[in-house]
Amino acid sequence: MHLHEQNLSRLAGARCAVLGANGFIGTNLCIALHYAGTTVVGVGRSQRARDVLVDKVEWRRADLATGSAFEHAVRDCDFVVHLANTLLPTPSNAEKVRDVQENLIGTLTLLERCRELGVGKVIYASSGGTVYGPQTNTPISEDVLPRPICSYGVVKHAVEGYLHLYRQLHHLDYVALRIANPFGPHQMPHDQGLVAALFGKALAGTPISIWGDGSVVRDYVYIQDVVDAIIAAMVLNEPDAPRIYNIGSGVGRSVNDVIASIQAIHGELPEVGYQHARAADVPVNVLDIRRAQTYLGWNPATPWHDALRATYIWLHDALGASAKAQSYAIV
Amino acid sequence: MHLHEQNLSRLAGARCAVLGANGFIGTNLCIALHYAGTTVVGVGRSQRARDVLVDKVEWRRADLATGSAFEHAVRDCDFVVHLANTLLPTPSNAEKVRDVQENLIGTLTLLERCRELGVGKVIYASSGGTVYGPQTNTPISEDVLPRPICSYGVVKHAVEGYLHLYRQLHHLDYVALRIANPFGPHQMPHDQGLVAALFGKALAGTPISIWGDGSVVRDYVYIQDVVDAIIAAMVLNEPDAPRIYNIGSGVGRSVNDVIASIQAIHGELPEVGYQHARAADVPVNVLDIRRAQTYLGWNPATPWHDALRATYIWLHDALGASAKAQSYAIV
């Protein structure tokens, strides 16, 4: 039996709210939790759950931006998994006040409801890619001082601070996962994410355009491994274990590496164009994942090429015909 | 010539806005800047500058809580020194959303105005006493991971994050000073601050009441040394120097130590009562000040007993008669 399955069996019968359920990570997590026998409450801004989740979750509409309706969403929940964010990293810099208003104050409102209603534990999707900012040494451990260069990262880090505070003051347990660059099924080419975007272009046969010269190094982690980490964080039952974990592959790959891997699966790719690098992009981001390996008993178990192939097959089916993919935005 | 005086002479002719000018640190700073030949803009929520500042500052009314009127306050300023906060550490925990709303978003609004209006540098009063939270090793260096246990500390740390961001993205220079427990003239017994409170009780002859058993250790730093540090931060002109500095004495003293020192100056003290410790209080907080010594060329030069004596004499005059002091709140 897999560690993953052992953990899943420990969640049977629990009630879990997932904020951002219709998103890429949320969709995968809800499916896994559903098949583990938990009652899944999907929470998001949409009117309803996306098609694949409709028969798997109870839908509750709630919005970080207004902080409304959280009590309805988290009541009687053992776990709340918070994957929601109203802004992406790069645009967050142009909307700092909005970022704080929606994502920090929105999360504080959520935590307040969790505390009032006796939620057992909050799992928070922090950001391995933005919280650290540029660092001299890689892989980056959780012990280094975060120096984010985007508002998104400052806010994620501040949320971690409030999670620590709620645990200290109000005994609301939490785990914050600093997730690297996740990829896999249910990530669409127009979402954030290099792998899905490149596959989308490859399948559509449209030109590929990337920021910078392709040397930017990131830590790409497969979604099933991320879901495993979230579940390991949910069942973590060590009061003295750390509460913040890097979740990545621990391996750095350049954009050009990823392009080469994708070419190995798909065959010849469309032309690759290079654009100016973005200010919020750090040159290298690779996570040291030893803490999660030690305390969560977790490993990014899926081999890179297997993960890519599964992603490719899923996208191929999801996109249906290459014609559909023509309209996807540039990477 | 003192280092202090050298620095002051480099500020002559500059225009400096001081947020929180009517507060304890602000009053001392405005006086020093005025005599250094700078144009001082006092900024605060009050209608006017306090008496001692009336002939020394141009007053501008502005409020962090609403973020209003900052452009009026910081226009044409070379420096903005931000000493304001709308909540004290302990009450901040009961008002986390308000804390973020007023002190984080308020400061973001201020920074946005500074950027738009071309302010040269922002000096921010962060908090050596709350940003770090409980730490295993003391003295605490700037290199350790902050783990605040009050909202006040989380917000101060988040402001530091945004200051870093504004420097990276918008080239607005800054220095953040993590100031320990300042004391000295212009701190009143009903303000925050153990030394003034104890002297107030001693002078009034009213019973002394402290939180905990008197073993809590803090780093008490004299206000003239703090003013020197702010001025050293203003004139710092090294692009590669760190932007965050501990400002303390580097020496730890327990509450009982302080009581003994005060008794040595005042003579026999009123009865001391002990109350329950507060959740937001860490047991030990002493700052490692080597970074400020190295890069700011700064030292907490005033000997402890000289500083206490000067504080005592000032308070004795300020309180006038012991009868006046009867009404001061407990420590």
Side-chain angles (χ1 to χ4, degrees), chain A:
Chain A
M1 198 190 217
H2 264 178
L3 166 84
H4 178 191
E5 286 161 17
Q6 275 177 354
N7 280 342
L8 279 173
S9 69
R10 291 167 63 186
L11 289 176
R15 186 176 174 89
C16 313
V18 178
L19 258 83
N22 275 350
F24 161 47
I25 300 178
T27 301
N28 285 277
L29 178 67
C30 287
I31 293 171
L33 291 175
H34 168 72
Y35 286 118
T38 73
T39 302
V40 186
V41 182
V43 188
R45 285 182 290 190
S46 313
Q47 286 283 5
R48 54 189 286 280
R50 61 197 284 185
D51 290 348
V52 69
L53 295 183
V54 160
D55 59 342
K56 299 181 185 68
V57 306
E58 296 177 18
W59 189 257
R60 298 279 186 279
R61 202 172 177 205
D63 192 351
L64 268 185
T66 58
S68 61
F70 285 138
E71 58 213 46
H72 193 46
V74 307
R75 189 180 299 278
D76 299 324
C77 284
D78 305 291
F79 300 97
V80 169
V81 185
H82 176 5
L83 308 168
N85 217 76
T86 68
L87 286 166
L88 293 177
T90 301
S92 73
N93 279 338
E95 302 195 76
K96 303 178 191 79
V97 167
R98 182 182 153 203
D99 195 10
V100 171
Q101 192 73 55
E102 297 183 353
N103 294 302
L104 183 53
I105 292 186
T107 300
L108 279 176
T109 310
L110 172 71
L111 294 179
E112 201 52 31
R113 292 300 95 75
C114 288
R115 168 168 93 94
E116 287 164 4
L117 295 167
V119 166
K121 191 192 260 185
V122 174
I123 310 296
Y124 178 63
S126 183
S127 164
T130 65
V131 161
Y132 293 112
Q135 296 282 342
T136 324
N137 298 318
T138 56
I140 303 169
S141 96
E142 296 90 344
D143 295 324
V144 306
L145 283 179
R147 310 200 74 191
I149 55 168
C150 62
S151 178
Y152 183 96
V154 177
V155 166
K156 290 270 178 192
H157 190 43
V159 169
E160 293 178 356
Y162 275 111
L163 286 165
H164 179 67
L165 196 61
Y166 268 84
R167 185 165 183 243
Q168 293 289 315
L169 297 177
H170 310 305
H171 311 291
L172 175 62
D173 198 9
Y174 81 98
V175 174
L177 301 177
R178 292 179 176 167
I179 302 170
N181 293 57
F183 70 95
H186 299 291
Q187 188 175 43
M188 297 303 286
H190 56 270
D191 294 337
Q192 259 186 307
L194 179 70
V195 170
L198 288 176
F199 273 137
K201 293 290 179 189
L203 288 165
T206 48
I208 291 169
S209 178
I210 61 170
W211 307 104
D213 63 1
S215 66
V216 164
V217 170
R218 290 289 176 273
D219 181 328
Y220 297 92
V221 58
Y222 189 51
I223 186 64
Q224 279 312 319
D225 294 331
V226 174
V227 167
D228 278 6
I230 294 171
I231 288 167
M234 290 167 80
V235 301
L236 176 72
N237 197 13
E238 283 290 333
D240 296 333
R243 257 42 191 177
I244 294 181
Y245 294 94
N246 284 341
I247 299 299
S249 68
V251 177
R253 299 177 202 278
S254 72
V255 173
N256 291 328
D257 290 340
V258 177
I259 290 173
S261 295
I262 279 179
Q263 191 155 21
I265 291 173
H266 175 79
E268 200 56 44
L269 290 183
E271 194 187 347
V272 177
Y274 295 89
Q275 297 197 7
H276 284 297
R278 295 178 298 186
D281 284 336
V282 300
V284 180
N285 181 270
V286 184
L287 302 184
D288 181 334
I289 57 174
R290 287 174 293 178
R291 185 189 280 184
Q293 289 171 322
T294 303
Y295 289 96
L296 300 181
W298 169 85
N299 257 301
T302 318
W304 169 242
H305 287 285
D306 295 357
L308 279 185
R309 223 166 282 124
T311 305
Y312 183 63
I313 291 167
W314 184 87
L315 264 174
H316 192 273
D317 292 351
L319 297 176
S322 67
K324 269 196 194 172
Q326 299 277 0
S327 60
Y328 294 119
I330 62 163
V331 178

Side-chain angles (χ1 to χ4, degrees), chain B residues 175-249:
Chain B
V175 174
L177 302 177
R178 292 180 176 166
I179 302 169
N181 293 58
F183 70 95
H186 299 291
Q187 189 176 42
M188 297 302 286
H190 57 269
D191 294 338
Q192 260 186 305
L194 179 69
V195 170
L198 288 175
F199 273 137
K201 293 291 179 185
L203 288 165
T206 48
I208 291 170
S209 179
I210 62 170
W211 306 103
D213 62 1
S215 66
V216 163
V217 169
R218 290 288 177 274
D219 181 328
Y220 296 92
V221 58
Y222 189 52
I223 186 63
Q224 279 313 321
D225 295 331
V226 174
V227 167
D228 278 5
I230 293 171
I231 289 166
M234 291 167 79
V235 300
L236 175 71
N237 197 14
E238 283 289 333
D240 296 333
R243 257 44 192 177
I244 295 181
Y245 294 94
N246 284 341
I247 299 299
S249 68

